[in-house]
Amino acid sequence: MTPRVSIVVPAYNNAEYIGETIESILGQSFTDFELIIADHSSKDGTMAVIEKYDDPRIRVLTTESGGGAKRNWDRVTAEATGDLVKLVCGDDTIFPSSLATQVAAFDDHPSAVLVASQRTLIDANGKTVIAARGLGGLSGLVAGTVAARTAVRAGANIFGEPGCVLMKRAVLEKIGLWDNSHPYLIDQATFIGVALHGDVVAIPEPLASFRISAGQWSVELATQQARQAADFHRTLGAAAPGLLSRNDIRLGNVKALATSFMRRAVYILLRHRMSKS
């Protein structure tokens, strides 16, 4: 029988954390799901870790190298068969009640096309950096247009990383799967694309964790991200007349720049903390 939910995991050089990711998925209180994992030609033994797990709900794929995140995200998502789909990156985790809570939200709100929760930010060692973040003040059932406008005005991905989000697979397929027109915003752009086809349910509690890398986040990267955000805001405004005002776009651009440099500061502080541990 077709499962209600497909959880898809695009893995790439995640040997250190992929086991924790898989276990968090297999430990869900809601059990009507399939787990599809696609390894993007990892070089660090990721596949060896994946192959340790023997569960009939797991299907393992391989993806040839190249093509960036979109290639593997699209590959693993295209294999999903469930009515609802959640992508979990290979170094993140979801809480045991994640699927149960989000599936119930879909059952309670038939007009919803996307359900998002807050998330907990953790460091490389699994220590909490921020206990609950996301949603930009949204709560409960809101129109997708409202959620999209809120995201733009916040200049940030209020929906959170993919593990925070459960979507209608049919709608995700309708928009062409993952939107990589602005690579730094591949998840946010996709979530907004889905949200514009219906309503969104915002759950103001953390149901997933996102691991912050202590890697380099340079001024150049921060600037590039802000530029891509500004271009995305303009593109969205042109594609959906009436969705955004000029002030929405201006405010979002300013906040996107500030958010990019705030993220850089967090990465610097995190590297400092890790060097002392």
Side-chain angles (χ1 to χ4, degrees), residues 202-213:
I203 301 174
E205 65 175 284
L207 294 175
S209 65
F210 170 66
R211 197 179 306 273
I212 304 175
S213 167

Side-chain angles (χ1 to χ4, degrees), residues 4 13 27 36 85 102 114 135 144 168 175 211 218 272 275:
R4 180 77 186 279
N13 288 345
I36 308 168
V85 62
Q102 294 186 317
L114 182 151
L135 300 183
K168 286 284 186 71
I175 68 169
R211 197 179 306 273
S218 66
H272 179 70
S275 68

Side-chain angles (χ1 to χ4, degrees), residues 21-65:
T21 299
I22 293 171
E23 288 170 14
S24 77
I25 295 168
L26 296 180
Q28 291 296 297
S29 59
F30 179 92
T31 59
D32 186 16
F33 67 87
E34 64 179 352
L35 169 55
I36 308 168
I37 308 170
D39 180 56
H40 202 170
S41 301
S42 296
K43 302 293 192 288
D44 68 343
T46 294
M47 183 60 83
V49 177
I50 294 170
E51 290 174 342
K52 293 178 181 178
Y53 290 88
D54 182 16
D55 188 294
R57 294 171 293 182
I58 298 177
R59 185 151 41 106
V60 181
L61 313 172
T62 57
T63 303
E64 294 179 358
S65 61

Side-chain angles (χ1 to χ4, degrees), residues 124-148:
N125 295 325
K127 295 182 180 178
T128 298
V129 177
I130 300 176
R133 181 173 176 81
L135 300 183
L138 298 180
S139 181
L141 184 70
V142 297
T145 52
V146 172

